[in-house]
Amino acid sequence: KDGRLKYYEEDCLNACSKGWFDEAEIDNKGDCLRNVCSFVAYCGKTKRWTLVLPDIITNAIEDPNCDWYWASSERTDAFDIDNVLSWTVTERSEHHHTAGSRSEVPSFSVTSNKCDGSVEAYCGENNGHFCREDGVCDCSDSGFLGPMCQADSPCPLLEVDVGKPFPDISKSFKLFYNSDETLALWKGRPIYISSDENPSSEYLYCILFTGSRWIISDTERLHSETGNFTVESLWRQH
């Protein structure tokens, strides 16, 4: 956009590529990105980078990154979002296209996850193996996690100290795996399920990362049509 790159929410981008959306969520061009995925893009009219969260309004606006955004950067000509530091959050009122109060984000930074073999852009302990030709770290077969393969292999079993404030939940949780036996991830973190249950159980507890904190929840409403708890069913219902 305006000669700049456009950045989509990674989980949503992956879900689009796998077809994890209903027809009602896809526009008439067969594109689910515009309708359901958050993105950061540059607006040439205001010379600001903006964050857009999808809703009914964004679907009807030609340039939501200029006319219906939720956060914006300082005015800049920067082509690289890494160099943009000052951002402001806009709280929209009930009236469409009417901006509400604005408040500055006290601390905000963007870091590139592109690897290139340098010390500053290194993938885990073995950059030559993890860094792909397109500059993306691939640690899927290494046991490491994180955009730069910086996190060690996750603990395979968690024991929860269940005190009185907690409900009667499982005390032990194990790593959850996809049907192809690859580690299931949500927001880039592993998912844990009750160790005494299996994904096809009607009701089980799970531990997962929401983007800002870890939670313990149940999967009663997160099963797929086949009755199994999967990353796809989690995405469709979250």
Side-chain angles (χ1 to χ4, degrees):
K1 191 70 176 179
D2 292 303
R4 275 86 169 170
L5 294 175
K6 190 174 184 179
Y7 298 90
Y8 286 100
E9 178 189 357
E10 184 178 17
D11 285 338
C12 192
L13 189 64
N14 292 336
C16 276
S17 66
K18 296 176 181 178
W20 289 354
F21 289 97
D22 299 326
E23 291 185 3
E25 298 174 304
I26 302 175
D27 65 17
N28 55 13
K29 296 181 181 178
D31 183 12
C32 70
L33 294 177
R34 177 181 173 86
N35 282 8
V36 297
C37 293
S38 303
F39 65 87
V40 174
Y42 185 77
C43 174
K45 292 190 297 184
T46 61
K47 291 191 173 184
R48 299 178 187 274
W49 285 88
T50 61
L51 168 66
V52 177
L53 305 182
D55 58 21
I56 297 176
I57 306 302
T58 58
N59 299 340
I61 297 177
E62 183 176 353
D63 291 316
N65 56 300
C66 289
D67 303 317
W68 194 254
Y69 53 84
W70 289 85
S72 63
S73 73
E74 59 188 352
R75 290 177 62 85
T76 178
D77 292 317
F79 281 81
D80 192 345
I81 193 174
D82 295 25
N83 298 322
V84 180
L85 299 178
S86 179
W87 283 72
T88 302
V89 176
T90 300
E91 296 181 2
R92 296 209 169 272
S93 69
E94 297 177 355
H95 304 287
H96 294 171
H97 303 289
T98 303
S101 60
R102 300 174 65 88
S103 58
E104 290 188 4
V105 180
S107 177
F108 183 88
S109 63
V110 176
T111 303
S112 172
N113 291 330
K114 184 178 181 179
C115 57
D116 57 17
S118 65
V119 176
E120 294 79 13
Y122 206 66
C123 295
E125 298 179 355
N126 190 347
N127 188 75
H129 178 66
F130 297 157
C131 188
R132 300 190 321 215
E133 292 183 0
D134 60 359
V136 175
C137 291
D138 182 3
C139 44
S140 56
D141 297 326
S142 68
F144 290 89
L145 296 177
M148 302 299 288
C149 306
Q150 74 274 20
D152 291 333
S153 301
C155 180
L157 187 67
L158 298 180
E159 296 291 336
V160 179
D161 182 10
V162 182
K164 290 183 178 180
F166 278 88
D168 185 18
I169 63 173
S170 299
K171 296 183 179 181
S172 181
F173 290 81
K174 62 184 178 182
L175 286 171
F176 177 55
Y177 289 86
N178 297 310
S179 58
D180 60 0
E181 299 185 356
T182 58
L183 184 64
L185 299 177
W186 183 253
K187 305 297 183 185
R189 272 76 167 178
I191 301 171
Y192 290 88
I193 62 171
S194 311
S195 61
D196 54 348
E197 302 288 351
N198 61 68
S200 61
S201 299
E202 292 185 2
Y203 191 89
L204 55 86
Y205 285 96
C206 65
I207 298 178
L208 52 84
F209 187 70
T210 64
S212 59
R213 66 187 66 196
W214 289 84
I215 65 169
I216 299 178
S217 181
D218 64 73
T219 62
E220 183 179 14
R221 296 174 298 278
L222 299 177
H223 284 76
S224 66
E225 294 178 356
T226 61
N228 290 340
F229 170 59
T230 64
V231 175
E232 178 180 355
S233 64
L234 175 60
W235 172 262
R236 288 182 179 275
Q237 298 296 331
H238 88 279

